[in-house]
Amino acid sequence: MSNEGQPPHRPAVVEGVLERITYANEESGYTVARVDTGRGAGELLTVVGALLGAQPGESLRMEGRWGSHPQYGRQFQVDNYTTVLPATIQGIRRYLGSGLIKGIGPVFADRITTHFGLETLDILDEAPGRLVEVPGLGPKRTKRITAAWEEQKAIKEVMVFLQEVGVSTSIAVRIYKEYGDASISVVRNQPYRLASDVWGIGFLTADRIARSVGIPHDSPDRVKAGLQYALSQSADQGHCFLPEERLIADAVKLLQVDTGLVIDCLGELAADPEGVVRETVPGPEGEPVTAVYLIPFHRAELSLAGQLRRLLRTPEDRMPAFRDVAWERALAWLAERTGATLAPEQEQAVRLALTEKVAVLTGGPGCGKSFTVRSVVELARAKKAKVVLAAPTGRAAKRLAELTGAEASTVHRLLELKPGGDAAYDRDRPLDADLVVVDEASMLDLLLANKLVKAVAPGAHLLLVGDVDQLPSVGAGEVLGDLLAPGSPVPAVRLTRIFRQAQESGVVTNAHLINAGTPPRTRGLPDFFLFAEEETEDAARVAVEVAARRIPAKFGLDPRRDVQVLAPMHRGPAGAGTLNGLLQQAITPARPDLPEKRFGGRVFRVGDKVTQIRNNYEKGENGVFNGTVGVVTALDPVEQRLTVRTDEDEEVPYGFDELDELSHAYAVTIHRSQGSEYPAVVIPVTMSAWMMLQRNLLYTAVTRARKLVVLVGSRRAIAQAVRTVSAGRRFTALAHRLTEGALV
């Protein structure tokens, strides 16, 4: 039904059943969909615009205007819509069977409508208990369907309210799950609460909502929320604090309000025990700066420094056998057991780990870090010490286990982190371990390092192993770098000698060349290649071709399991976002027999390689954490559930309303690849990413590869990356606190 001949000043109206959504942008809410207007002959109308929250199978009444698209022809531009409950049995059947209600698929939709006919929706509303009359629907399923129907109705009400402020479907569902019936009241009266309470809503979205419900531009609540947002943004960029002047300038720019108002509100926040902390600390050049911290980061920095110094100073020793060990005999026994002799600097590292309470071992690829760790573990075990091994990621933990022949876990699992982020093991209940070894320690951010060190028992030994020249952690802090800073009380060994067998590897050789500021060799090596492409789009196309076709054909590697594309950035024509779409088409294309679920602008299919993009302590056995990678193994449209098998071999279910926690992982940013190792990596390096092209970024990407590196892009971009040393350290006062601060 349509009325196209309306005068231009009045909106046109179209009614029809939403058949399918072909594209939806979760950020903007812009949607492209196909609608059955009842004209028959299977003819569907394309509609575009604000269809946020509409579900396939629903009958819609849409207001808007007619237009046409050069490629897609005639279409209807929707300005707003309302849901009209379907009036025919066929419409009701399609509506219920569309996956709208968890527990009802096409089979049960058919049975329910056959039994109740046109009364079906009234029964669901007014007498849902009668669903047990339907063959195959017992009390348990009836109860689930009734609850899902009620929730759907309540969410719809929130959707209608939020649609005007452009909040996406998944966020509206989250708001409802957080606040239930109070959702509309919170959104209307305390919109800035959303930024701290609901994952996926930042200050900018909360600010847009606040503006639309009439919160004044210069409201102190707005300014305080903006200051905290600016600090959390800086934490996302790796800073533990911001200098006060920079924070004030950032907030004035963000909020577009007077500097005086920002200063006043910052003073109020600093006086609030749950606000922020102001403290004078040494700046990057040693000059005093007024640092402003979010409370969790200030607490963690004080605590981590105090705990490390406590471990270093304690007279207790859970491995006293190594105080007066006959080292020559011990090392001879070790050489016989491992079949290799330690180099002098490796020997120094082994002695340090077994005699000092806290020690750091760092060095690049091919310098024998792994063999040194294995030697430490062998000797400790020989003296019956309890050794616990951990790494920040599942892949790194697996590699550590293979190397040492002992069990290793992620740090999160080791500490048994609980919902809310509290650990089962801490200062009051330490780990039962004499030696704790943590690999890939460059990935430890301030908050996780603090939780880990708290759980190390007094007298136990802690060995942190990592490559300090790699990118620092994704989270705030530069823990490994701070522990190795001049004047640090933590003893450390840096391995520098590249072993002969490692010198034969082009990957290892080039990693060290890059780290020394020299462009890598890209000719005449069997494991390091460059496909020169000046244009960014060409580089993206070739990177996909190399990862999905050429490497599997030439080296017999699995494109999903063994090959990883690593991009400097997420955005752009050769960014991880675009590459994921192209790689999915190449590796897991759509097939009629392959289940899939569209969510926002993405499509998830069985077989897809995916990654978790937030810490979720509620999922899985011990939580699923940012960076966990897995493969989609099942997709159930009736139960509205997708299952992922993670790289820790755990099956984790995701409701369809949780899919914004997942991203495709055929390509990931180099930052997200930290701690992981892959047989082969493909790295697009183009001038379009020039802002990100830095030496430690390229070095980190190359060192992710075990066997093979393929660079795709321009020599100019590679030269720029090699030349550019990362500008400035992160704002952190851990190194200062380790040497200066009072014991905590």
Side-chain angles (χ1 to χ4, degrees):
M1 261 247 328
S2 68
N3 47 348
E4 298 166 46
Q6 294 284 351
H9 61 279
R10 281 180 59 202
V13 176
V14 168
E15 288 190 6
V17 176
L18 180 58
E19 283 291 324
R20 64 176 179 274
I21 291 171
T22 53
Y23 171 78
N25 184 314
E26 281 292 308
E27 296 294 315
S28 66
Y30 178 80
T31 304
V32 180
R34 302 281 280 161
V35 170
D36 183 352
T37 56
R39 289 178 180 171
E43 190 185 328
L44 298 179
L45 169 69
T46 298
V47 298
V48 298
L51 282 167
L52 214 53
Q55 303 278 357
E58 289 184 319
S59 295
L60 305 178
R61 185 175 191 276
M62 296 163 286
E63 291 187 350
R65 55 197 180 279
W66 290 94
S68 91
H69 186 279
Q71 190 177 343
Y72 302 112
R74 195 157 159 279
Q75 58 186 29
F76 188 72
Q77 172 74 51
V78 181
D79 293 326
N80 55 65
Y81 77 92
T82 51
T83 303
V84 185
L85 288 176
T88 66
I89 289 177
Q90 187 190 354
I92 293 168
R93 184 182 296 130
R94 186 160 46 182
Y95 176 62
L96 285 182
S98 65
L100 180 75
I101 308 299
K102 207 180 258 192
I104 303 183
V107 173
F108 278 114
D110 191 39
R111 285 189 201 171
I112 294 167
T113 48
T114 301
H115 189 80
F116 294 117
L118 289 172
E119 288 183 88
T120 298
L121 300 181
D122 293 333
I123 297 285
L124 276 166
D125 262 340
E126 291 155 28
R130 285 188 59 194
L131 287 171
V132 292
E133 297 170 19
V134 178
L137 277 185
K140 203 171 173 185
R141 192 183 280 266
T142 297
K143 205 171 170 184
R144 273 184 57 206
I145 290 170
T146 306
W149 177 256
E150 285 302 316
E151 184 176 78
Q152 195 59 43
K153 275 175 25 191
I155 289 171
K156 270 279 180 285
E157 197 184 326
V158 176
M159 293 279 192
V160 169
F161 176 71
L162 291 175
Q163 193 177 343
E164 295 163 21
V165 292
V167 174
S168 71
T169 315
S170 59
I171 300 252
V173 171
R174 282 233 165 84
I175 290 172
Y176 179 77
K177 285 196 167 170
E178 181 71 32
Y179 304 117
D181 295 340
S183 297
I184 291 173
S185 164
V186 170
V187 168
R188 196 174 266 137
N189 301 313
Q190 301 168 283
Y192 292 106
R193 265 182 69 186
L194 300 175
S196 54
D197 291 354
V198 182
W199 182 77
I201 295 189
F203 171 79
L204 299 179
T205 302
D207 200 35
R208 196 171 69 231
I209 294 169
R211 197 162 54 242
S212 71
V213 297
I215 304 283
H217 185 70
D218 58 357
S219 153
D221 282 350
R222 176 175 185 263
V223 177
K224 287 180 195 173
L227 280 161
Q228 288 178 307
Y229 170 71
L231 282 173
S232 69
Q233 283 290 95
S234 76
D236 288 346
Q237 290 156 13
H239 301 300
C240 299
F241 67 82
L242 275 185
E244 187 175 43
E245 292 88 351
R246 179 161 155 184
L247 173 61
I248 291 166
D250 287 356
V252 167
K253 190 175 167 188
L254 168 74
L255 298 164
Q256 299 291 300
V257 294
D258 289 345
T259 306
L261 177 61
V262 171
I263 291 169
D264 291 346
C265 287
L266 180 56
E268 285 179 37
L269 270 178
D272 180 349
E274 293 178 12
V276 299
V277 174
R278 273 197 295 211
E279 187 184 342
T280 303
V281 299
E285 306 302 320
E287 76 291 4
V289 297
T290 303
V292 184
Y293 287 84
L294 288 171
I295 284 170
F297 296 100
H298 185 257
R299 280 193 190 135
E301 203 173 76
L302 278 176
S303 167
L304 177 57
Q307 301 291 346
L308 283 166
R309 294 195 0 255
R310 174 178 67 91
L311 289 177
L312 283 165
R313 289 176 181 176
T314 183
E316 296 171 56
D317 193 346
R318 290 182 57 152
M319 294 202 298
F322 289 101
R323 280 192 208 146
D324 47 13
V325 76
W327 281 106
E328 278 181 28
R329 231 176 48 232
L331 293 170
W333 172 87
L334 182 68
E336 201 174 298
R337 188 166 171 82
T338 59
T341 307
L342 290 167
E345 54 188 16
Q346 290 178 308
E347 189 182 309
Q348 186 194 349
V350 168
R351 287 189 184 211
L352 208 61
L354 295 170
T355 56
E356 296 282 358
K357 307 293 172 38
V358 184
V360 173
L361 171 62
T362 189
C367 292
K369 282 200 307 293
S370 297
F371 183 65
T372 307
V373 170
R374 185 182 154 198
S375 302
V376 169
V377 172
E378 290 277 7
L379 284 169
R381 276 204 197 126
K383 294 289 187 186
K384 303 287 185 285
K386 284 182 183 168
V387 181
V388 165
L389 305 170
T393 66
R395 277 175 182 252
K398 261 185 182 169
R399 200 172 66 242
L400 187 57
E402 287 161 12
L403 166 77
T404 56
E407 203 178 307
S409 69
T410 63
V411 176
H412 295 97
R413 279 181 187 275
L414 174 68
L415 300 178
E416 290 178 21
L417 286 177
K418 300 278 183 268
D422 291 328
Y425 293 95
D426 55 21
R427 190 168 177 171
D428 299 325
R429 187 195 173 200
L431 295 162
D432 182 18
D434 304 319
L435 171 65
V436 178
V437 180
V438 183
D439 199 7
E440 294 289 355
S442 62
M443 287 187 70
L444 286 177
D445 61 37
L446 174 67
L447 299 182
L448 187 58
N450 179 44
K451 288 186 171 82
L452 170 72
V453 174
K454 256 192 213 173
V456 178
H461 293 228
L462 172 64
L463 174 62
L464 298 172
V465 184
D467 184 346
V468 76
D469 293 321
Q470 282 182 33
L471 289 167
S473 55
V474 174
E478 202 162 1
V479 174
L480 193 66
D482 285 340
L483 297 190
L484 290 165
S488 166
V490 178
V493 171
R494 181 171 192 136
L495 303 179
T496 54
R497 180 187 146 198
I498 307 171
F499 286 88
R500 196 184 312 115
Q501 63 270 34
Q503 289 172 0
E504 293 163 16
S505 157
V507 176
V508 170
T509 303
N510 278 333
H512 285 277
L513 285 174
I514 290 165
N515 204 27
T518 305
R521 279 176 53 206
T522 55
R523 292 196 178 96
L525 294 169
D527 59 352
F528 202 104
F529 302 90
L530 167 65
F531 286 80
E533 295 290 345
E534 289 301 321
E535 296 301 321
T536 303
E537 285 80 0
D538 292 339
R541 181 179 49 74
V542 171
V544 170
E545 168 70 15
V546 166
R549 308 259 183 271
R550 294 197 195 185
I551 290 177
K554 184 169 181 182
F555 295 94
L557 296 174
D558 181 296
R560 200 182 275 112
R561 190 184 60 241
D562 301 328
V563 183
Q564 184 63 55
V565 177
L566 301 178
M569 313 169 53
H570 183 76
R571 297 176 191 276
T578 302
L579 289 169
N580 264 318
L582 297 170
L583 285 158
Q584 185 192 35
Q585 281 172 26
I587 296 168
T588 316
R591 293 198 324 255
D593 61 329
L594 192 66
E596 63 175 46
K597 166 66 183 169
R598 180 173 290 281
F599 186 88
R602 298 196 289 269
V603 179
F604 291 98
R605 300 189 182 112
V606 170
D608 268 341
K609 184 177 182 178
V610 292
T611 181
Q612 172 83 7
I613 57 172
R614 67 173 286 224
N615 287 345
N616 187 334
Y617 298 95
E618 313 279 349
K619 282 211 155 302
E621 210 179 307
N622 287 109
V624 180
F625 299 95
N626 190 350
T628 301
V629 174
V631 173
V632 178
T633 54
L635 205 154
D636 185 335
V638 175
E639 295 301 320
Q640 298 185 21
R641 187 174 59 226
L642 173 153
T643 306
V644 174
R645 185 170 192 81
T646 71
D647 53 12
E648 293 177 58
D649 296 325
E650 185 180 6
E651 296 273 346
V652 180
Y654 288 79
F656 282 177
D657 58 352
E658 299 176 308
L659 295 183
D660 53 355
E661 294 192 17
L662 287 177
S663 175
H664 290 99
Y666 299 101
V668 297
T669 61
I670 296 165
H671 279 89
R672 289 189 70 82
S673 75
Q674 286 171 258
S676 292
E677 211 182 58
Y678 317 93
V681 300
V682 179
I683 311 164
V685 189
T686 65
M687 287 307 289
S688 67
W690 67 273
M691 287 280 294
M692 298 294 293
L693 295 179
Q694 292 176 350
R695 186 181 298 170
N696 60 354
L697 189 87
L698 185 57
Y699 174 75
T700 300
V702 167
T703 55
R704 298 308 87 216
R706 268 204 304 274
K707 299 177 185 168
L708 176 68
V709 171
V710 180
L711 302 178
V712 182
S714 71
R715 292 184 188 281
R716 193 159 63 102
I718 292 165
Q720 166 146 331
V722 169
R723 208 172 40 238
T724 310
V725 178
S726 158
R729 284 181 60 119
R730 295 175 166 191
F731 290 119
T732 148
L734 178 62
H736 159 68
R737 294 185 199 283
L738 277 170
T739 51
E740 299 288 329
L743 266 176
V744 175

